[in-house]
C-alpha cells in the first residue's frame, strides 16, 4: 500500500485524528500559549488553603496543588519560562474574574456546587467540609438552633447563610446577617461582638481560630448544615484544560503525594505564626482522594 493511501486509511479510521487534534490548542491552553502567561487567582485569608504569608505572598494547600497544575502546563506547552501572575480574588468576584479571562485558574476554598457548575467547571475534589458556626465559649450558644434571634456574620459570596435559612432547625428562626469581605473580617465581626456567630466551613473556622489572638476563647459548634466539596475552578466548556487539571490533581492523589501535602498544611505548624490547625483527614476526604471526582453538591 502506498504511503499516501495508508495515511488516507488511517485518517478515515480515526487512528491519527487524535494526534492532529491534540496539536491544535483551544481554550485556556491556547490563551496561555499565545500570551506566555498563566494567571492564578488566589485568596488572601482562606487559611490554610490560600492566604498571604508574612511577606504578603500567597501560600497554602490549594496553592500547592495549583502549582502542580502550573508545572504540568509548562511541560504540556513546552514553556519552561512560563510567566505566572498571581491575582487576588474574593468570594464575590472569583467567578466573574474567571469567566472574563482575568484569571485562568482559581485556587482557594470554593465549594463545588451544581449551581456553580452552570457557570464554571471544577477540578477533582481536594477537601470536604462541614458547614457550621464558630462562637465564643461564653456565648451560651451550643447548637445551630441557638442562633435564633442572634446576629451572624459570614463572608460575601458564600453559601453559608442560605444553608442556615434552609436548615430544618433554623429555617423559622429570626437571624440577622452581616457580611465581611473575607473570612478574616467575618471572624473579626464575631470576635468583636458585632455578631454572635461566624457561619462558615469548619476548616476555615479552625484556621481563623488558630490564628486569632486568643484561640481558647472560641469553639466550633459540632453540628453540620451539610457537607461540601472544595476544588479549584476553571472555565466552563474547556475540555483540554480540564483534562490536564484532572490528570494532574488525580495523579497527585493516586500516587499518595497528597498525603504529604495534606500533612504539611493541616497537621503541621504553618506560616506565618507556626500554628498547627491539627485537622486530621476525615473519611469523606480519604474517599475523595481514593476516587478523584468533580461531583458537585446540590
Amino acid at each position: 500500500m502506498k504511503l499516501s493511501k495508508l495515511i488516507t486509511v488511517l485518517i478515515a479510521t480515526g487512528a491519527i485524528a487524535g494526534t492532529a487534534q491534540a496539536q491544535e490548542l483551544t481554550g485556556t491552553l491556547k490563551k496561555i500559549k499565545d500570551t506566555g502567561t498563566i494567571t492564578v487567582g488566589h485568596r488572601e485569608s482562606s487559611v490554610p488553603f490560600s492566604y498571604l504569608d508574612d511577606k504578603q505572598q500567597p501560600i497554602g494547600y490549594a496553592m500547592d496543588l495549583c502549582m502542580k497544575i502550573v508545572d504540568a502546563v509548562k511541560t504540556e506547552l513546552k514553556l519552561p519560562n512560563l510567566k505566572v501572575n498571581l491575582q487576588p480574588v474574593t468570594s464575590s468576584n472569583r467567578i466573574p474574574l474567571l469567566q472574563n479571562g482575568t484569571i485562568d485558574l482559581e485556587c482557594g476554598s470554593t465549594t463545588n456546587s451544581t449551581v456553580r457548575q452552570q457557570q464554571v467547571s471544577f477540578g477533582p475534589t481536594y477537601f470536604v467540609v462541614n458547614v457550621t458556626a464558630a462562637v465564643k465559649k461564653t456565648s451560651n450558644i451550643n447548637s445551630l438552633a441557638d442562633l435564633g434571634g442572634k446576629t451572624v456574620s459570614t463572608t460575601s459570596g458564600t453559601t453559608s447563610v442560605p444553608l442556615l435559612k434552609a436548615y430544618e432547625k433554623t429555617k423559622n428562626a429570626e437571624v440577622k446577617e452581616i457580611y465581611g469581605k473575607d473570612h478574616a473580617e467575618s471572624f473579626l465581626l464575631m470576635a468583636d461582638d458585632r455578631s454572635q456567630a461566624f457561619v462558615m466551613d469548619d476548616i476555615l473556622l479552625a484556621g481563623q481560630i488558630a490564628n486569632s489572638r486568643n484561640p481558647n476563647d472560641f469553639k466550633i459548634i459540632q453540628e453540620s448544615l451539610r457537607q461540601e466539596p472544595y476544588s479549584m475552578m476553571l472555565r466552563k466548556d474547556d475540555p483540554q484544560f480540564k483534562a490536564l487539571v484532572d490528570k494532574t490533581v488525580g495523579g497527585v492523589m493516586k500516587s499518595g503525594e497528597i498525603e504529604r501535602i495534606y500533612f504539611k498544611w493541616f497537621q503541621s505548624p504553618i506560616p506565618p505564626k507556626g500554628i498547627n490547625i491539627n485537622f486530621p483527614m476525615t473519611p469523606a476526604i480519604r474517599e475523595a482522594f481514593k476516587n478523584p471526582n468533580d461531583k458537585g453538591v446540590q
Side-chain angles (χ1 to χ4, degrees), residues 25-79:
L25 294 175
T26 61
T28 299
L29 289 180
K30 183 178 188 306
K31 176 177 179 284
I32 294 170
K33 181 75 171 181
D34 290 346
T35 62
T37 302
I38 183 170
T39 301
V40 176
H42 68 86
R43 303 297 295 274
E44 295 185 308
S45 65
S46 288
V47 182
F49 294 89
S50 180
Y51 66 104
L52 300 180
D53 64 12
D54 53 357
K55 300 179 183 64
Q56 299 300 295
Q57 294 300 307
I59 58 172
Y61 173 73
M63 292 301 295
D64 279 5
L65 290 175
C66 282
M67 288 306 117
K68 296 283 184 184
I69 295 169
V70 171
D71 288 343
V73 169
K74 290 179 179 179
T75 301
E76 179 76 13
L77 301 182
K78 297 179 175 58
L79 291 174

Side-chain angles (χ1 to χ4, degrees), residues 7-26:
I7 292 174
T8 301
V9 171
L10 289 172
I11 291 174
T13 59
I16 66 172
T19 303
Q21 188 176 5
Q23 292 171 348
E24 187 178 341
L25 294 175
T26 61

Side-chain angles (χ1 to χ4, degrees), residues 146-273:
D146 291 340
L147 296 178
K150 304 291 195 299
T151 298
V152 303
S153 57
T154 193
T155 306
S156 296
T158 63
T159 59
S160 303
V161 167
L163 286 176
L164 186 66
K165 290 185 174 180
Y167 187 53
E168 184 64 31
K169 295 179 182 179
T170 54
K171 66 181 181 181
N172 295 318
E174 288 294 326
V175 176
K176 179 185 176 184
E177 66 267 16
I178 55 176
Y179 295 89
K181 64 178 172 56
D182 58 25
H183 303 319
E185 184 172 280
S186 299
F187 180 81
L188 194 61
L189 290 170
M190 183 269 293
D192 288 347
D193 296 318
R194 291 178 60 193
S195 74
Q196 284 73 59
F198 173 24
V199 182
M200 188 46 60
D201 308 337
D202 55 0
I203 183 58
L204 297 178
L205 297 174
Q208 292 297 324
I209 289 172
N211 280 283
S212 68
R213 187 174 301 171
N214 299 298
N216 290 329
D217 288 353
F218 307 98
K219 66 180 181 181
I220 297 174
I221 294 175
Q222 299 302 305
E223 185 180 354
S224 177
L225 293 171
R226 73 169 176 182
Q227 282 194 331
E228 294 186 345
Y230 279 2
S231 192
M232 64 275 295
M233 285 195 298
L234 47 148
R235 272 182 284 280
K236 194 173 173 62
D237 301 323
D238 191 353
Q240 280 188 358
F241 190 50
K242 177 158 173 56
L244 184 142
V245 169
D246 289 349
K247 179 182 177 181
T248 302
V249 179
V252 170
M253 292 174 178
K254 291 290 189 179
S255 71
E257 187 180 3
I258 193 70
E259 301 268 348
R260 178 187 63 77
I261 299 173
Y262 187 98
F263 187 83
K264 171 185 173 183
W265 291 105
F266 297 100
Q267 295 182 277
S268 305
I270 61 172
K273 297 180 181 180

